[in-house]
Amino acid sequence: MITVIQQNYLLKGSVFGARGDSCSCNPCDCNPCKCADGVNGGTGPNYPFWRVNGYYIEAGTIQDLDVSKLTIMSMTQPVYANNNELWQEVFLIDARATTEQSTALLSIFEHHLDSVPAEVAPLPHTQRAIYKAQLAYLPAEKGNPTFHAIFTPAQTSLLRAASDPEAYQARSWSYDGPMALRNTFVFKK
């Protein structure tokens, strides 16, 4: 006999994203970016410097564990700066999250996180590395939310290594500015 544990959750929050681009949008969240064709003269893909996709939990619980005010996101960037041949995606979880909260957030959101830019060939479906990072999502009454992030792999907690033994160490990334609010959500089960 197999016992199945029913996962219960009630979550309310926001889906956000952006891409680091030379586009005039602030922030740009196009995928692919069509508004920046003039920047590269239409000579090929307009690769971003990075792209993120994230979830901010305004209020909620997973299995009676409070995960309110926490953020989980994916971030994709070239393995080497200014080289678009090889890209890597990592998941970042708010550094304030406990191990239990991190596990709970991953159980709900891991399969929804995808920040690979459309200009980049699909990445292999392998287990992504997960790090804790300084993440602060600030909702806005009107307009775009503000987001502050500092991710330095050498100074950040690695929660789970990538399944690819040849995975590259993620590069440091920081951001301080607006994010595009894609949608709001209420997940209940």
Side-chain angles (χ1 to χ4, degrees):
M1 174 189 273
I2 297 175
T3 303
V4 177
I5 297 174
Q6 183 72 24
Q7 188 171 35
N8 296 312
Y9 52 86
L10 176 58
L11 303 164
K12 175 185 175 189
S14 302
V15 183
F16 64 90
R19 57 190 273 145
D21 234 323
S22 53
C23 163
S24 60
C25 297
N26 188 22
C28 182
D29 192 34
C30 308
N31 196 33
C33 181
K34 301 280 188 204
C35 47
D37 286 346
V39 174
N40 69 4
T43 59
N46 186 37
Y47 290 100
F49 307 119
W50 48 263
R51 184 165 184 266
V52 298
N53 174 48
Y55 291 83
Y56 168 72
I57 315 314
E58 181 182 327
T61 59
I62 303 171
Q63 296 296 96
D64 297 322
L65 180 65
D66 188 6
V67 292
S68 300
K69 309 296 184 213
L70 294 176
T71 303
I72 183 169
M73 61 180 279
S74 64
M75 190 259 307
T76 304
Q77 65 184 167
V79 170
Y80 305 107
N82 303 315
N83 182 336
N84 291 310
E85 305 222 359
L86 188 58
W87 286 68
Q88 181 170 273
E89 181 179 39
V90 296
F91 296 157
L92 305 177
I93 297 177
D94 194 317
R96 296 172 298 132
T98 65
T99 301
E100 293 80 15
Q101 289 170 319
S102 298
T103 300
L105 288 170
L106 284 165
S107 73
I108 302 296
F109 294 103
E110 182 170 9
H111 298 292
H112 300 286
L113 293 172
D114 180 5
S115 59
V116 179
E119 297 87 349
V120 176
L123 298 179
H125 289 284
T126 60
Q127 177 176 283
R128 308 297 193 228
I130 301 170
Y131 296 88
K132 283 192 171 186
Q134 298 297 319
L135 307 176
Y137 179 93
L138 304 169
E141 295 266 338
K142 294 181 181 179
N144 289 321
T146 304
F147 189 65
H148 308 280
I150 299 173
F151 168 60
T152 308
Q155 299 172 350
T156 306
S157 299
L158 177 66
L159 294 178
R160 182 181 79 193
S163 62
D164 180 359
E166 296 179 18
Y168 297 88
Q169 167 110 16
R171 291 186 300 112
S172 295
W173 175 77
S174 64
Y175 183 81
D176 188 16
M179 275 285 155
L181 175 62
R182 292 185 184 152
N183 206 348
T184 57
F185 64 86
V186 175
F187 295 159
K188 182 178 180 178
K189 183 172 179 187

